[in-house]
């Protein structure tokens, strides 16, 4: 199935991510481009399915908070705030902090100090079960983040308390600030690690929209097990010279030439960035 | 009647509050017994979550529970609440301004024989610098009950520190708590003002009684609330005094003494000021009573220091 509208929107979000960093002078482009497909699909097919404030509305937490621009673009798309705010990213004049915070509409928790968002997510999931809510909780963690001890405390907790309403999505691009995750601190065998912690695990291509959509349907299946979707991704996805490059982890902005080239590759008219 | 420790009083009192407010959950990290929350858990089993020995996850996920409308009450030891899970407390709870209550037992030298690993002499210094966090330090079960009533009405993060030793009551009846409370426990006169906190208030009262017999007139204040601290009430209470002594079971850096010194410096008040606490060193194993003598926080040492520096 061709998800034409989604693909078009995602190119625009990618351009917005690059534009925000270009304007603000810093930010994390690579990790945002790596998970923006996942975030948009989660909002489109889960979170935004029910109205704000509905007790069974699904929840989303971006535990790898440095990639927040991906979430901010999606939140602006769904009118949680004006997209003009994206131009004030990381600025004292705007509302969009360098990492997510609850003062920003649509954000459930502060995150980005890695591992904390994942732990807050298990608390939300446990609380929703106690309240007999039908809502599901989605949380994106990164591969580098999986090196944090609290991830495994949260993982153990989720399976012990049968948090079947909880899905973690592992944005697995195999790059972290200092180099390849496999070389810095290998997290493999990641699938069997999570399985042995009592989670149901599914592997997908994290940029294939159909696979993402299917995996989200899978996540809603009745089960006592928490679920992990391992999404194989590419850091910097969508812009050739940013892909798989540590230079785009953060926080330097693109030059004006790089900015133009990136928008050209994404087939986005720079005029569409005038807001 | 047998004296109970404050942690027992706390555990028993929680029954009343949990009965009244269905949103209260109790959390512990294999510390249900040690913190004495067991007294409530046995009656509200379905509202208790044991995390196993994983304080970091307990702290951050409590913010998640609060996010969906619960009032999670964490029960653990001071070392883990203020240090092991500090960043989760700061970023997960306080930055989110989450409605989470942290009840910490086993603070300072009062921990006794478990030794310096568990004696958190840094606790208050660490916690005072975190925005949004209210820090409550009750002196006995009456003070505690008033504070708990306030705590469950207040929406936001609160850190409540209990006392391990069995000390009985100091106040005569339950006291309505208001934020920033400073309690006058005894007033023999205003030559010397002693400001103390929790267990050291007991020692201060004994020392003040003896000093009175020696002709030195002291007023004993207990800081029921370390943060926010009531500046004007402190300044009013010390007005006309020759000297102020702060006594605490804590490092002299960062705790109540530091908080009072900040007030005095700001006020430009010319008054003699002394901090009596642990002199920037780690504790040691021993009975709490012995340790108070060893670290010069006992009645005799307090009297000696006051007489020398009055």
């Amino acid at each position: 199935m061709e998800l034409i509208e989604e693909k078009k929107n995602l190119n625009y979000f990618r351009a917005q991510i690059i534009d925000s960093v270009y304007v603000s002078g810093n930010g994390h482009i690579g990790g945002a481009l790596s998970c923006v497909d996942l975030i948009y699909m989660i909002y489109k097919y889960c979170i935004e399915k029910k109205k704000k404030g509905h007790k069974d509305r699904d929840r989303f937490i971006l535990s790898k908070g440095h990639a927040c621009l991906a979430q901010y673009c999606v939140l602006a798309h769904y009118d949680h705030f004006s997209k003009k705010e994206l131009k004030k990213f990381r600025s004292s004049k705007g509302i969009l902090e360098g990492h997510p915070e609850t003062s920003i509409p649509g954000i459930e928790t502060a995150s980005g100090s890695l591992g904390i968002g994942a732990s807050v997510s298990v608390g939300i999931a446990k609380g929703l079960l106690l309240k007999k809510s039908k809502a599901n909780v989605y949380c994106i963690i990164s591969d580098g983040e999986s090196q944090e001890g609290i991830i495994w405390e949260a993982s153990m907790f989720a399976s012990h308390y049968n948090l079947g309403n909880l899905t973690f999505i592992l944005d697995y691009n195999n790059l972290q600030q200092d180099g390849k995750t496999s070389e810095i601190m290998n997290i493999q065998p990641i699938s069997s690690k999570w399985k042995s912690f009592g989670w149901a695990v599914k592997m997908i291509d994290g940029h294939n929209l159909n696979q993402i959509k299917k995996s989200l349907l899978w996540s809603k299946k009745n089960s006592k097990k928490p679920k992990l979707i391992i999404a194989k991704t590419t850091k910097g996805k969508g812009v050739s010279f940013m892909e798989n490059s540590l230079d785009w982890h953060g926080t330097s902005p693109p030059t004006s030439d790089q900015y133009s080239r990136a928008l050209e590759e994404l087939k986005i008219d720079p005029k569409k960035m005038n807001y | 009647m047998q004296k109970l420790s404050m942690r027992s009083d706390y555990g028993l009192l929680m029954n009343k509050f949990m009965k009244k407010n269905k949103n209260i959950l109790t959390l512990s990290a294999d510390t249900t017994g040690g913190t004495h929350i067991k007294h409530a858990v046995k009656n509200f089993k379905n509202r208790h979550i044991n995390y196993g020995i994983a304080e970091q996850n307990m702290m951050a996920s409590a913010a998640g529970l609060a996010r969906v409308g619960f009032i999670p009450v964490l029960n653990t030891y001071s070392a883990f609440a203020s240090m092991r899970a500090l960043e989760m407390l700061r970023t997960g709870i306080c930055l989110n301004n989450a409605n989470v209550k942290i009840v910490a037992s086993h603070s300072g030298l009062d921990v006794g024989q478990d030794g310096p690993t568990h004696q958190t002499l840094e606790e208050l210094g660490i916690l005072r610098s975190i925005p949004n966090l209210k820090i409550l330090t009750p002196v006995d079960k009456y003070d505690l009950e008033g504070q708990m009533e306030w705590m469950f009405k207040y929406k936001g993060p609160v850190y409540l520190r209990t006392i391990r030793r069995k000390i009985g009551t100091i106040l005569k009846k339950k006291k309505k708590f208001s934020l920033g409370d400073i309690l006058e426990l005894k007033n023999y006169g205003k030559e010397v003002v002693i400001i103390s906190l929790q267990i050291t208030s007991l020692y201060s009262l004994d020392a003040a009684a003896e000093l009175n017999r020696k002709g030195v007139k002291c007023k004993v204040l207990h800081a029921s609330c370390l943060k926010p601290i009531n500046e004007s009430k402190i300044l009013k209470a010390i007005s006309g005094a020759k000297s102020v002594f702060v006594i605490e079971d804590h490092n002299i850096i960062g705790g109540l003494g530091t908080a009072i010194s900040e007030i005095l410096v700001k006020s430009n008040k010319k008054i003699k000021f002394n901090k009596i606490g642990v002199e920037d060193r780690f504790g040691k194993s021993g009975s709490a009573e012995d340790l108070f003598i060893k670290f010069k926080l006992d009645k005799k040492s307090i009297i000696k220091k006051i007489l020398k520096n009055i």
Side-chain angles (χ1 to χ4, degrees), chain B residues 62-73:
Chain B
L65 290 164
R67 182 79 188 166
V68 295
F70 286 108
I71 307 173
V73 183

Side-chain angles (χ1 to χ4, degrees), chain A residues 232-270:
Chain A
K232 293 286 276 180
T233 54
T234 302
K235 198 159 190 159
K237 177 73 180 179
V239 179
S240 60
F241 59 90
M242 291 180 176
E243 287 190 2
N244 274 320
S245 164
L246 262 187
D247 295 342
W248 297 99
H249 173 87
T251 56
S252 302
T255 62
S256 62
D257 176 51
Q258 287 168 329
Y259 176 81
S260 305
R261 275 165 56 208
L263 262 63
E264 202 178 310
E265 281 193 27
L266 292 165
K267 299 186 177 60
I268 298 290
D269 181 353

Side-chain angles (χ1 to χ4, degrees), chain B residues 69-184:
Chain B
F70 286 108
I71 307 173
V73 183
L74 275 82
N75 297 274
T76 186
Y77 303 158
S78 294
F80 313 133
S82 69
M83 297 191 296
R84 168 67 67 106
L86 175 61
E87 202 206 348
M88 290 74 195
L89 168 62
R90 183 256 183 202
T91 303
I93 293 176
C94 296
L95 179 57
N96 282 330
N97 207 14
N99 192 18
V100 175
K101 318 301 171 190
I102 298 111
V103 180
S105 67
H106 296 71
S107 301
L109 295 175
D110 191 43
V111 169
Q113 288 162 316
D114 279 337
T117 50
H118 288 58
Q119 292 160 349
T120 36
L121 296 166
E122 310 83 356
E123 178 189 17
L124 302 176
I126 294 169
L127 297 174
R128 276 184 64 230
S129 61
I130 305 177
N132 286 348
L133 187 65
K134 309 287 183 266
I135 307 172
L136 310 184
T137 46
V139 72
D140 69 3
K141 78 166 180 185
Y142 293 130
D143 198 15
L144 172 75
E145 191 174 355
Q147 293 195 352
M148 286 171 78
E149 249 164 36
W150 177 87
M151 175 172 91
F152 287 119
K153 279 181 201 149
Y154 172 74
K155 218 173 167 189
V158 176
Y159 189 98
L160 172 70
R161 192 191 197 226
T162 61
I163 304 173
R164 195 191 63 89
R165 242 183 292 177
K166 294 176 182 175
I167 58 167
T169 54
I170 290 170
L171 306 180
K172 288 188 175 61
K173 56 180 185 190
K174 191 179 95 183
K175 200 202 147 293
K176 190 170 182 240
F177 175 76
S178 54
L179 200 59
D181 255 358
I182 300 283
L183 308 182
E184 186 181 289

Side-chain angles (χ1 to χ4, degrees), chain B residues 30-53:
Chain B
D30 202 33
T31 42
T32 314
T35 58
H36 287 209
I37 191 61
K38 62 182 178 186
H39 297 306
V41 171
K42 67 176 182 192
N43 299 318
F44 297 95
K45 284 194 183 78
N46 295 335
R47 286 161 62 188
H48 179 67
I49 306 171
N50 200 326
Y51 279 74
I53 307 163

